[in-house]
């Protein structure tokens, strides 16, 4: 085993109290030459080689346990999204309208997506917590903050070190170890609106003996969340309109699917009319925000344990166990909006169902108006829609249970070489129950009624009556009986699992080769990884019999065998090269080689230049490859619409080669689609087993500078280019590629299905290598410490400047420039000021999000004339201020209190008119605080 000396202890001490790694490096600079050979070697994020210097050619930033305590956050996702280099990919606000991803907390470095950010726990992979039909990412709900010692963020691609997915960088969560005695951690919090109460309790016990350590930790926390109606800015669904003077104003927006039902039709003269479903004058819409969540409530239970045993002087065995159960509680959105014509009678799919205007369910007032307009069947009206409030809100209750076991052996071959082997197994099981859903087949049956001869209305179908069918009356508010609700309500259940198995072995040490700067070090190893995923959306969803879209199950697995090699070459005393390469043999895309190359040079004392370059990959995951197809009714533009016999060009030629299209042109002179036909195109989207890997070329360069005693800084420029980025191919792109091809397939290789009239009924799509992404920026970190009065002052600055973020379609099309938009600010920064003396410390934390725009290209719109936003396209810079204080009553008791968003800064307006707004939230929760001023207090006891 390596021997500790005073220098190693000093370096480790500096690191763990939370100063920047820059200062730790300067401490290493200060080491006497005669002591360097005895400093303990440790593993640093971004390298497999154990070393004495905490710095590597790639930049790493650290979030310490003290930082975590100062935020008062009980979720890792909330901690990470405060970092200037990370953003929430999914959180408790932006997932409120989803189903399978509701309540997830995932992170994305450099805004490159959760799938390009590798999350490790203690340097090893962690199982995905996302439904395998939806995506792949670690759910940070599964890693309780009470167990975290620090978080190291590697701000550079590192596939050669860690394998696939480390394109944007790596988040390495280091958990606590070496517990002695019993520790109880309690915290509670509440907003100044007296809501969003959060409570957490953690109990940990452990003990050391002469040859090892063991510990057990259990905990519980609950976040009560927020309803949209709990805040003024989100209590109504809103949009931007123009007033009489042409000025942009915010106004409430109501859904046109009201509880009383709405029927729109045209009379014989072509004039449009809209009435309530009972025939009375239309009385208005519905506020969806009344049922929405601003923050999804989550309850978590967890347990963890670890044991570390030295079986000999040279051999240590270890095992880590984790169990976590995360559950969303009463996560709701508005009741089902039912389009009776298209959802029940399936007119948009050429259905012929309907209801005769003389049905006994149709109110006389409505019947008279429809008959006067020449309408004999309700499938002839323009719209017949209703909000199904009798069924209650649509709810999604999801439980995610994560189990993970990691075990391994460390063997010190001698004082120089060490061999490590480990295996990990993890599984996340997701059980989901969706409320408020409707069986549309039963709805159609229950709307077909007759008089039983005694003045009672009954379902026409006798078998259905025996099965409980009762008339379903959609004509007016409160007209759906409880018996009808019971008959057509359908419980929707879904379940799935993601599973991961990793086994790895490797060695690290110094080679018997000396360069002018010292001995060469190396690491080498082999890693096998197996990923499995399945998801069952439920029988009714698979058959399309419920009010939700049809979906197919997901089932698949992938594996990879990796071989890696890394060298550290001290070329001269002040110049060091880091070289790494990895070969990955993937079961689907085959062999891939990645590499990292870095250099560190210290021209003078206390100043170090560093640079790195890398080739990284992201191989397709189970969702990319095997996600079950889900139904989609997004608008599709048929390239054949408007084609005549004389239209020129390859698109027209390909259209006319389709017999049904050609026949219609011959009969009508042109292939002109009606509005109903334009809106009738459905289709499916899902995985694609032919998708290939993404590749990324990245480089960074900067310096580390100990400016003077107490003041240090790092500056790093980064450049990332992702080629062949995987995303879902839009259905319009599928058609464009098909109809502009010289090798034309009439059904676009099975992806475009037409009926006998030539109308597109399905356009199917899946994942593909669709885009190239380019981003560039600058990171600056600075730390200043000084004795001041009776105590010590400390200031820390972390700043990110974004030069560029652009995405270009591979198959042609305009580049989209996101630079300076809401989630891509040009500047983000954190400034932390703290002062401590004796047993008391206080910290003032400031978070900055610079001025942004909602759209660079005018793609947002006001709801009056549809023109791009002007006033509300621009969002001012925001500063958030947090205050925290701690007091150590004794060595055994520590109190912690704080206030987040001290000045109760309200979020900016981003609603339905905005690209980054959403219903029930009216802002971008990834960027802006939706809770408001928040108070928290905690206490830590040790026994």
């Amino acid at each position: 085993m390596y021997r500790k000396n005073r220098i190693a202890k000093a370096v480790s001490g500096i690191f763990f109290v939370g100063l920047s790694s820059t200062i730790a490096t300067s401490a290493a600079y200060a080491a006497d030459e005669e002591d360097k050979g005895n400093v303990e070697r440790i593993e640093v994020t971004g390298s497999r080689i154990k070393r004495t210097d905490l710095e590597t050619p790639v930049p790493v930033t650290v979030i310490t346990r003290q930082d975590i305590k100062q935020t008062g956050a009980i979720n890792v996702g909330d901690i990470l999204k405060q970092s200037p280099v990370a953003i929430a990919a999914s959180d408790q606000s932006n997932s409120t309208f989803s189903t399978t991803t509701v309540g997830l907390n995932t992170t994305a470095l450099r805004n490159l997506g959760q799938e390009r950010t590798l999350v490790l726990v203690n340097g090893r992979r962690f199982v995905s917590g996302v439904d395998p039909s939806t995506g792949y990412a670690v759910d940070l709900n599964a890693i309780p903050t009470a167990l975290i010692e620090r978080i190291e963020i590697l701000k550079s691609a590192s596939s050669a070190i860690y394998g696939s997915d480390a394109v944007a960088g790596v988040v390495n969560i280091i958990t606590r170890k070496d517990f002695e005695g019993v520790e109880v951690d309690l915290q509670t919090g509440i907003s100044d609106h007296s809501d969003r109460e959060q409570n957490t309790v953690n109990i940990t016990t452990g003990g050391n003996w002469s040859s090892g350590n063991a510990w057990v930790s259990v905990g519980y926390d609950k976040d009560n969340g927020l309803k949209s109606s709990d805040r003024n800015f989100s209590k109504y669904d809103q949009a931007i309109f123009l007033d009489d003077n042409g000025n942009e104003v915010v106004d409430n927006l109501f859904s046109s699917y009201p509880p009383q039902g709405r029927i729109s039709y045209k009379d014989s003269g072509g004039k449009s009319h809209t009435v309530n479903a009972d025939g009375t004058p239309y009385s208005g819409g519905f506020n969806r925000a009344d049922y929405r969540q601003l923050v999804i409530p989550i309850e978590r239970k967890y347990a963890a344990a670890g044991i570390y045993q030295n079986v000999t002087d040279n051999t240590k065995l270890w095992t880590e166990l984790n169990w976590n159960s995360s559950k969303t509680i009463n996560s709701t959105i508005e009741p089902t909006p039912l389009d009776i014509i298209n959802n029940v009678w399936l007119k948009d799919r050429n259905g012929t169902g309907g209801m005769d205007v003389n049905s006994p369910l149709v109110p006389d007032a409505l019947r008279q108006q429809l008959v006067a307009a020449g309408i004999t069947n309700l499938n002839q009206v323009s719209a017949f829609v209703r909000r199904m409030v009798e069924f209650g809100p649509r709810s999604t209750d999801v439980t995610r249970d994560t189990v993970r076991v990691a075990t391994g052996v460390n063997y010190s071959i001698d004082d120089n070489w060490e061999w490590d082997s480990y295996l990990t197994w993890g599984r996340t099981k997701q059980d989901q129950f969706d409320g408020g859903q409707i069986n549309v087949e039963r709805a159609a049956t229950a709307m077909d009624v007759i008089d039983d001869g005694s003045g009672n209305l009954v379902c026409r179908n006798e078998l259905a009556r025996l099965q409980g069918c009762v008339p379903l009356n959609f004509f007016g508010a409160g007209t759906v009986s409880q018996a009808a609700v019971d008959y057509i309500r359908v419980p929707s259940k879904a379940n799935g699992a993601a599973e991961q198995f990793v086994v790895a072995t490797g060695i690290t040490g110094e080679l018997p080769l000396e360069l002018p700067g010292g001995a060469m070090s190396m690491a080498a190893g082999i890693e096998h990884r197996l990923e499995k995923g399945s998801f069952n959306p439920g029988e009714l969803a698979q058959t399309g019999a419920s009010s939700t879209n049809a979906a197919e199950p997901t089932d698949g697995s992938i594996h990879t065998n990796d071989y890696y090699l890394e060298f550290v070459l001290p070329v001269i005393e002040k110049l060091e090269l880091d070289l790494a390469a990895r070969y990955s043999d993937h079961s689907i895309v085959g062999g891939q080689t990645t590499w990292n190359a870095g250099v560190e040079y210290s021209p003078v004392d206390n100043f170090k230049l560093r640079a790195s370059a890398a080739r990284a990959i992201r191989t397709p995951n189970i969702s990319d490859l095997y996600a079950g197809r889900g139904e989609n009714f997004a608008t599709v533009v048929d390239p054949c619409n408007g084609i005549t016999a004389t239209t020129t060009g390859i698109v027209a030629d390909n259209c006319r080669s389709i017999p049904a299209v050609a026949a219609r042109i011959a009969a009508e002179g042109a292939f002109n689609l009606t509005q109903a036909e334009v809106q009738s195109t459905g289709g499916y989207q899902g995985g694609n087993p032919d998708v290939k890997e993404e590749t990324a070329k990245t480089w960074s360069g900067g310096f580390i500078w100990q400016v003077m005693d107490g003041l240090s800084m790092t500056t790093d420029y980064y450049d990332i280019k992702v080629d062949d980025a995987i995303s879902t191919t839009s259905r319009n792109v599928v058609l464009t590629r098909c109809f502009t091809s010289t090798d034309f397939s009439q059904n676009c290789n099975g992806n475009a299905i037409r009926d006998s009239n030539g109308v597109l009924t399905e356009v199917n799509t899946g994942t593909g290598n669709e885009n190239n992404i380019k981003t560039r920026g600058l990171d600056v970190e600075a730390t200043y410490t000084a004795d001041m009065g009776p105590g010590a002052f400390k200031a820390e600055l972390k700043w990110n400047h974004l030069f560029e973020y652009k995405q270009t379609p591979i198959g042609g099309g305009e580049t989209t420039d996101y630079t300076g938009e809401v989630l891509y600010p040009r500047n983000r920064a954190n400034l932390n000021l703290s002062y401590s003396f004796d047993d008391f410390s206080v910290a003032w934390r400031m978070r900055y999000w610079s001025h942004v725009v909602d759209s660079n290209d005018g793609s947002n719109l006001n709801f009056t004339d549809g023109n791009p936003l002007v006033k509300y396209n621009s969002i001012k810079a925001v500063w958030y201020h947090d205050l925290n204080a701690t007091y150590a009553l004794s060595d055994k008791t520590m109190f912690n209190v704080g206030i987040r968003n001290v000045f109760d800064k309200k979020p900016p307006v981003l609603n339905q008119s905005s690209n980054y707004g959403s219903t029930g939230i009216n802002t971008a929760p990834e960027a802006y605080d939706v809770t408001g001023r928040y108070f928290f207090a905690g206490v830590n006891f040790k026994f």
Side-chain angles (χ1 to χ4, degrees):
M1 300 295 290
Y2 294 114
R3 300 184 300 275
K4 279 198 174 186
N5 64 12
R6 59 186 175 83
I7 299 172
K9 292 177 180 177
V11 173
S12 299
I14 292 172
F15 190 78
F16 285 110
V17 298
L19 296 181
S20 74
S21 54
T22 306
I23 298 179
T25 302
S26 67
Y29 283 165
D32 295 332
E33 291 296 323
E34 59 197 28
D35 289 330
K36 285 185 177 179
N38 296 322
V39 177
E40 180 190 13
R41 293 173 172 85
I42 59 175
E43 187 170 310
V44 181
T45 299
S47 175
R48 297 286 188 186
I49 296 176
K50 299 195 175 192
R51 59 187 72 202
T52 59
D53 193 343
L54 294 175
E55 283 292 348
T56 65
V58 290
V60 177
T61 191
V62 178
I63 300 172
T64 69
R65 181 165 180 79
Q66 182 183 17
D67 295 330
I68 295 171
K69 281 290 186 182
Q70 287 177 354
T71 67
I74 66 173
N75 195 290
V76 183
D78 291 332
I79 297 165
L80 285 172
K81 76 178 186 180
Q82 292 187 18
S83 169
V85 299
I87 196 167
S90 176
D91 64 22
Q92 289 167 248
S93 289
N94 67 13
S95 63
T96 56
F97 194 57
S98 64
T99 52
T100 57
T101 63
V102 62
L104 282 174
N105 275 288
T106 63
T107 190
L109 297 179
R110 307 296 192 200
N111 225 328
L112 285 169
Q114 62 185 22
E115 65 279 1
R116 299 183 187 95
T117 298
L118 181 61
V119 175
L120 308 174
V121 174
N122 296 326
R124 293 174 285 272
R125 286 178 179 262
F126 200 88
V127 64
S128 172
V130 182
D131 149 36
S133 71
T134 304
Y136 183 93
V138 172
D139 181 13
L140 298 171
N141 290 319
I143 309 171
T145 58
L147 301 181
I148 297 174
E149 181 65 39
R150 66 187 183 276
I151 302 172
E152 300 174 0
I153 302 175
L154 176 65
K155 301 180 289 186
S156 181
S158 197
S159 288
I161 305 299
Y162 296 112
S164 175
D165 306 337
V167 173
V170 176
V171 176
N172 189 10
I173 299 172
I174 310 299
T175 60
R176 303 174 69 195
K177 302 177 181 68
D178 297 328
F179 289 96
E180 182 72 37
V182 178
E183 180 175 326
V184 179
D185 204 45
L186 306 171
Q187 183 173 298
T188 187
I190 196 167
S191 79
D192 71 348
H193 290 260
S194 298
D195 53 22
R196 202 186 175 183
E197 183 177 354
Q198 293 179 330
N199 293 292
T200 180
V201 56
N202 173 260
I203 302 173
T204 302
T205 181
N208 296 297
W209 56 91
S210 60
S211 59
N213 166 269
W215 59 272
V216 176
S217 182
V218 295
Y220 171 86
D221 62 56
K222 185 178 181 181
D223 182 343
N224 286 338
L226 292 173
K227 290 284 189 181
S228 295
S229 55
D230 291 336
R231 295 294 181 270
N232 287 331
F233 67 83
S234 58
K235 68 192 307 181
Y236 290 99
D237 190 10
Q238 294 182 332
I240 307 300
F241 297 85
L242 299 182
D243 63 16
D244 293 339
N245 297 317
N247 300 314
E248 293 176 356
V249 294
V250 178
D251 204 354
N252 297 335
L253 182 68
F254 295 95
S255 168
S256 60
Y257 284 67
Q260 73 273 16
R262 172 179 60 84
I263 291 179
S264 299
Y265 66 92
K266 291 183 178 180
D267 61 25
S268 56
K271 185 178 179 180
S272 296
H273 301 267
T274 297
V275 296
N276 292 327
D278 60 3
T280 59
Y282 183 58
S283 53
F286 175 82
N287 181 28
R288 296 177 291 180
D290 280 341
Y291 293 83
R292 292 286 181 107
Q293 300 283 164
L294 185 59
V295 179
I296 294 169
I298 289 181
E299 180 182 54
R300 296 191 299 174
K301 305 170 186 175
Y302 61 87
I307 184 169
Y308 310 90
Q309 176 66 49
N310 295 320
V311 293
T312 70
D313 289 342
N314 297 326
T315 306
K316 179 171 72 174
L317 300 177
W318 60 270
T319 298
E320 297 171 354
L321 305 173
N322 297 89
W323 171 81
N324 182 85
S325 181
S326 174
K327 182 179 180 180
T328 63
I329 309 168
N330 297 321
S331 174
T332 63
I333 59 173
E334 64 275 9
T336 297
L338 194 65
D339 181 340
I340 291 91
I341 294 177
N342 294 318
N343 297 155
V344 178
W345 298 329
L346 307 182
K347 185 176 180 179
D348 61 353
R349 285 171 258 184
N350 295 314
T352 57
M355 176 183 289
D356 190 279
V357 73
N358 293 310
S359 167
L361 286 177
V362 179
D364 286 338
L366 176 63
R367 182 184 296 109
Q368 292 172 10
Q369 295 177 63
L370 297 180
V371 170
I375 295 172
T376 60
N377 192 296
L378 267 72
N379 63 16
Q380 297 171 322
V381 302
S382 304
F384 181 12
V385 299
R386 192 180 191 277
R387 185 70 58 176
M388 307 301 288
V389 294
E390 293 89 348
F391 292 78
R394 285 174 285 172
S395 61
T396 302
D397 294 326
V398 178
T399 299
R400 299 181 179 95
D401 292 326
T402 300
V403 178
R404 180 176 183 263
V405 180
T407 187
V409 56
N410 305 121
Y411 177 66
S412 296
I413 301 171
D414 54 30
D415 284 345
N416 190 33
W417 287 89
E418 185 170 311
W419 169 62
D420 294 334
S421 293
Y422 71 88
L423 67 83
T424 66
W425 173 84
R427 184 185 68 179
T428 299
K429 187 175 182 294
Q430 178 168 318
D431 292 308
Q432 177 177 325
F433 180 85
D434 298 327
Q437 302 294 330
I438 293 168
N439 185 322
V440 293
E441 293 178 352
R442 284 195 166 191
T445 302
M447 291 184 72
D448 185 12
V449 303
I450 57 174
D451 191 313
D452 67 356
S454 301
N456 300 313
L457 299 184
V458 296
C459 298
R460 184 185 301 274
N461 187 300
E462 182 178 358
L463 177 60
R465 293 201 299 270
L466 295 174
Q467 294 173 337
C469 181
V470 296
L472 179 61
N473 185 352
F474 284 150
F475 298 93
T479 55
V480 178
S481 67
Q482 185 59 48
V485 169
D486 294 340
Y487 177 66
I488 70 170
R489 172 189 282 142
V490 55
S492 177
K493 297 181 180 180
N495 59 77
E499 189 173 348
Q500 180 188 80
F501 175 76
V502 179
V503 59
T505 186
I507 59 171
T508 180
E510 290 184 352
L511 294 166
L513 298 173
E514 290 281 340
L515 294 175
M520 294 173 54
S521 299
M522 71 161 287
I526 303 172
E527 179 181 295
H528 170 78
R529 177 167 57 97
L530 171 66
E531 303 272 359
K532 295 181 179 180
S534 63
F535 190 77
N536 184 345
E539 294 179 357
L540 289 175
Q542 292 182 47
T543 61
S546 69
S547 53
T548 189
N549 288 347
E552 297 176 351
T554 296
D555 190 18
S557 67
I558 55 176
H559 68 267
T560 180
N561 295 310
D562 289 11
Y563 312 87
Y564 66 85
L565 187 64
E566 182 184 0
F567 292 97
V568 174
L569 309 177
V571 180
I572 57 176
E573 182 180 354
K574 295 186 177 182
L575 176 64
E576 182 176 279
L577 297 179
D578 280 26
L579 303 175
R582 176 180 289 246
Y583 177 78
S584 301
D585 185 8
H586 191 274
S587 58
I588 302 300
V589 300
Q592 299 292 324
T593 300
T594 57
W595 54 265
N596 282 42
V599 59
E600 293 179 289
Y601 175 58
S602 303
V604 295
D605 290 342
N606 298 335
F607 185 80
K608 178 183 286 189
L609 296 170
R610 65 183 176 189
S612 66
R615 180 185 190 270
I617 62 169
R618 181 176 86 83
T619 51
N621 55 49
I622 289 170
S623 176
D624 297 328
L625 294 164
Y626 305 121
R629 298 194 310 167
E631 197 171 19
N632 187 301
F633 289 93
T635 301
V636 174
V637 178
D638 188 343
C640 297
N641 193 13
I643 297 295
T644 68
T646 58
T647 305
T648 60
I650 189 172
V651 172
D653 292 340
N654 287 335
C655 286
R656 287 189 292 263
S657 72
I658 303 171
V661 174
R664 191 158 168 177
I665 292 174
E668 302 175 11
F671 185 74
N672 291 325
L673 297 172
T674 66
Q675 181 178 355
E677 289 173 335
V678 168
Q679 296 174 338
S680 69
T681 307
Y684 293 82
Q685 65 182 44
N688 175 10
D690 295 325
V691 72
K692 300 301 180 183
E693 73 283 349
E694 303 176 353
T695 61
K697 296 177 181 178
T698 76
W699 70 273
S700 67
F703 62 84
I704 307 164
W705 186 17
Q706 182 73 32
V707 184
M708 61 182 184
D709 288 343
L711 176 61
S712 60
M713 67 178 298
T714 66
T715 301
D716 292 281
Y717 172 86
Y718 64 89
D719 186 298
I720 304 172
K721 186 177 186 296
V722 182
D723 294 325
D724 302 322
I726 301 170
S727 66
T728 299
T729 308
S730 80
R731 299 197 298 164
N732 283 322
V733 169
V734 169
L735 292 176
T736 299
R737 290 176 180 171
C738 173
F739 280 85
T740 56
S741 173
T742 55
D743 185 20
F744 178 66
S745 164
Q746 292 184 5
N747 65 1
C748 298
N749 298 313
N751 289 321
I753 310 302
R754 297 179 184 267
D755 64 14
S756 58
N757 294 317
V759 178
L760 280 170
T761 57
E762 284 186 25
V763 177
N764 302 315
T765 186
T767 51
N769 300 95
E770 290 298 319
N771 301 305
N772 293 329
I773 304 172
K774 178 71 179 296
T775 183
R776 299 181 297 114
L778 183 72
D779 293 322
V780 175
E781 296 191 18
T783 301
Y784 175 70
T785 59
D787 292 332
M788 187 177 295
F793 172 77
K794 178 181 175 182
E796 290 182 294
L797 171 69
K798 296 181 180 180
W799 171 50
N800 171 260
H801 177 75
L802 181 66
F803 292 111
E804 177 183 23
Y805 194 111
K806 294 181 178 179
Q807 179 174 292
T808 304
I810 295 173
E814 294 184 1
T815 295
T816 302
D817 185 0
Y818 294 101
T819 314
E821 289 191 349
V822 172
L823 298 187
Y824 305 82
R826 292 189 180 276
N827 293 287
R828 287 180 66 184
N830 289 358
L831 177 60
N832 303 336
L833 307 176
S834 63
Y835 185 76
S836 60
F837 61 95
D838 294 332
D839 297 321
F840 180 77
S841 67
V842 62
W844 188 275
R845 302 169 59 88
M846 288 164 275
R847 293 173 283 137
Y848 176 72
W849 197 284
S850 68
H851 166 268
V852 291
V853 296
D854 182 61
S855 173
N856 284 323
D857 59 8
S859 57
N860 49 24
L861 54 91
N862 70 70
F863 273 44
T864 300
D865 60 14
N867 284 324
L869 301 182
V870 179
K871 174 183 176 181
Y872 285 98
N873 187 54
S874 180
I875 298 96
K876 294 181 179 179
V878 173
W879 279 99
Y880 290 108
H881 299 263
D882 307 325
L883 180 63
N884 170 260
T886 60
Y887 176 68
L889 183 63
S890 67
D891 292 341
K892 304 291 187 180
T893 305
M894 175 75 74
F895 292 96
N896 181 43
V897 297
I899 307 173
R900 291 199 300 267
N901 195 356
V902 172
F903 300 112
D904 198 24
K905 184 71 175 179
K906 302 298 189 296
V909 172
L910 291 163
N911 50 38
Q912 294 298 288
S913 290
S914 309
N915 287 336
Y916 292 92
S918 58
T919 304
I921 299 177
N922 290 330
T923 193
E926 304 91 335
Y928 306 109
D929 179 28
V930 299
T931 303
R933 186 183 294 114
Y934 195 85
F935 306 94
F936 63 89
V939 60
N940 180 276
F941 299 104
K942 295 179 181 178
F943 304 96

